[in-house]
Amino acid sequence: MIRVSSLGQPKNQTTSGLGQELPNRKRPLGMSQMGKISNQDYTYIRELVYKETRINLGDSKRELVSARLGKRLRAHSLGSYTEYCKMLQSNPNSGELYHLIDAISTNHTFFFREINHFNFLNSVILPQFANGQLGNKRDLKIWSCACSTGEEPYSLSIALEEYLSGIPSLDWKIQCSDISNRVLDFASKGIYEQERLKNVKPEWIKRYFQKGEKQMQGYYRVRPEISKKLGFQRLNLFAPQYPWNEKFQVIFCRNVMIYFDRETQQELVGRLARHLVPGGYLLIGHAESLAGIKHPYESIKPAIYQLPA
């Protein structure tokens, strides 16, 4: 058995990291030294984030943004948020914008989150695919369009492998995207602390994960035979074009739209529809709804929609 210990120590094992800090920093600035973020600076950050990501930061997010940007100020030895905003304005191509997006992005997730979706996948979607009723193809293509640290697409891969492995003529592939380079780096490694697998059945852990040893004790890595079927890449959902022309039978876009205003939500679900096959499914978070916006889908169950065939 391949041992995870050969991989070296994983980096950034939490979902709340805010990018990398410069090494050997002496006497880092505390929050009291930075002061509060001014209305002008917060407005600039809000407008910049909205322009680049369409994430709508309300007034209630001021303290959260202030706290998360503190590490970026320390990384650049800046004494105030005003200096940080001036740095972004004076050098927009420095790459700091990516760190800013990483810092304000929320990446809370876990394996088999919102289990009703996986039950529907297993009881409805996969039987339709196996019977040739979904896209009329022999390979199932799924897009996890806000994959975060990878728990969602790896959960999907386990579900697909469990159902389809006994049907040799069928295959599957998952495209995984996120706007945060930090979480994509984490997800592509496929290494998780044991605690993060608490919702995974023990027999699935044995079947689909490799147990770490020595310095990697307490960690598990997703086995290569399923991780190789996942493709990870950074993607802004509002980019002029997506990096693929293929259409998917299923799109998971969960717990993303809660950060967008209604106009942006409507634009997004319309764009996603163009990448679904007729009869394909869009699954959104249970805290989300398409009520009140124009869209081409039929509602099947709460948070489950289908593009009419």
Side-chain angles (χ1 to χ4, degrees), residues 88-212:
L88 289 169
Q89 292 171 319
S90 63
N91 196 357
N93 299 318
S94 66
E96 181 58 30
L97 179 60
Y98 294 117
H99 289 294
L100 168 63
I101 293 171
D102 278 353
I104 60 91
S105 299
T106 300
N107 301 292
H108 171 69
T109 188
F110 49 88
F111 280 90
F112 293 97
R113 183 181 186 183
E114 299 182 333
I115 193 63
N116 288 344
H117 283 153
F118 293 93
N119 293 337
F120 186 82
L121 176 75
N122 195 66
S123 63
V124 177
I125 297 177
L126 292 180
Q128 288 182 354
F129 168 66
N131 292 328
Q133 300 172 341
L134 192 57
N136 197 27
K137 293 183 179 180
R138 309 308 291 173
D139 57 332
L140 180 64
K141 293 184 174 66
I142 296 180
W143 179 14
S144 171
C145 65
C147 70
S148 188
T149 43
E151 286 89 339
E152 177 179 277
Y154 287 126
S155 297
L156 285 169
S157 67
I158 292 172
L160 298 181
E161 194 68 16
E162 281 289 299
Y163 192 97
L164 299 176
S165 60
I167 313 176
S169 60
L170 302 181
D171 203 0
W172 57 271
K173 175 75 175 180
I174 303 176
Q175 293 285 2
C176 315
S177 65
D178 200 279
I179 199 169
S180 170
N181 286 315
R182 171 176 52 84
V183 299
L184 284 171
D185 180 64
F186 185 106
S188 64
K189 291 180 173 64
I191 302 175
Y192 298 92
E193 293 175 283
Q194 183 174 356
E195 172 64 20
R196 298 178 73 162
L197 302 182
K198 60 184 179 182
N199 291 332
V200 184
K201 295 179 181 179
E203 60 267 30
W204 289 354
I205 294 177
K206 292 180 180 179
R207 194 174 302 156
Y208 299 111
F209 292 84
Q210 298 167 328
K211 187 176 182 179

Side-chain angles (χ1 to χ4, degrees), residues 155-307:
S155 297
L156 285 169
S157 67
I158 292 172
L160 298 181
E161 194 68 16
E162 281 289 299
Y163 192 97
L164 299 176
S165 60
I167 313 176
S169 60
L170 302 181
D171 203 0
W172 57 271
K173 175 75 175 180
I174 303 176
Q175 293 285 2
C176 315
S177 65
D178 200 279
I179 199 169
S180 170
N181 286 315
R182 171 176 52 84
V183 299
L184 284 171
D185 180 64
F186 185 106
S188 64
K189 291 180 173 64
I191 302 175
Y192 298 92
E193 293 175 283
Q194 183 174 356
E195 172 64 20
R196 298 178 73 162
L197 302 182
K198 60 184 179 182
N199 291 332
V200 184
K201 295 179 181 179
E203 60 267 30
W204 289 354
I205 294 177
K206 292 180 180 179
R207 194 174 302 156
Y208 299 111
F209 292 84
Q210 298 167 328
K211 187 176 182 179
E213 295 182 345
K214 297 180 180 179
Q215 73 267 29
M216 296 301 296
Q217 188 173 2
Y219 291 90
Y220 288 80
R221 181 178 68 179
V222 180
R223 287 187 176 275
E225 51 264 38
I226 61 171
S227 62
K228 70 181 180 182
K229 295 186 178 184
L230 277 64
F232 293 93
Q233 60 182 304
R234 184 184 184 276
L235 177 65
N236 186 331
L237 292 173
F238 299 96
Q241 290 184 332
Y242 293 159
W244 46 70
N245 295 318
E246 62 185 331
K247 292 191 175 184
F248 302 89
Q249 288 99 326
V250 186
I251 296 177
F252 274 65
C253 184
R254 305 192 302 171
N255 305 300
V256 178
M257 292 191 295
I258 54 176
Y259 302 106
F260 301 144
D261 55 33
R262 299 304 278 176
E263 179 183 355
T264 302
Q265 293 173 357
Q266 182 167 309
E267 178 182 346
L268 176 60
V269 297
R271 300 190 85 191
L272 296 180
R274 295 194 288 271
H275 290 269
L276 271 175
V277 301
Y281 292 91
L282 171 67
L283 286 79
I284 65 176
H286 281 90
E288 301 168 321
S289 171
L290 302 189
I293 64 176
K294 295 180 180 179
H295 62 81
Y297 307 93
E298 294 179 355
S299 177
I300 305 300
K301 286 188 173 184
I304 299 175
Y305 297 84
Q306 186 177 28
L307 193 67

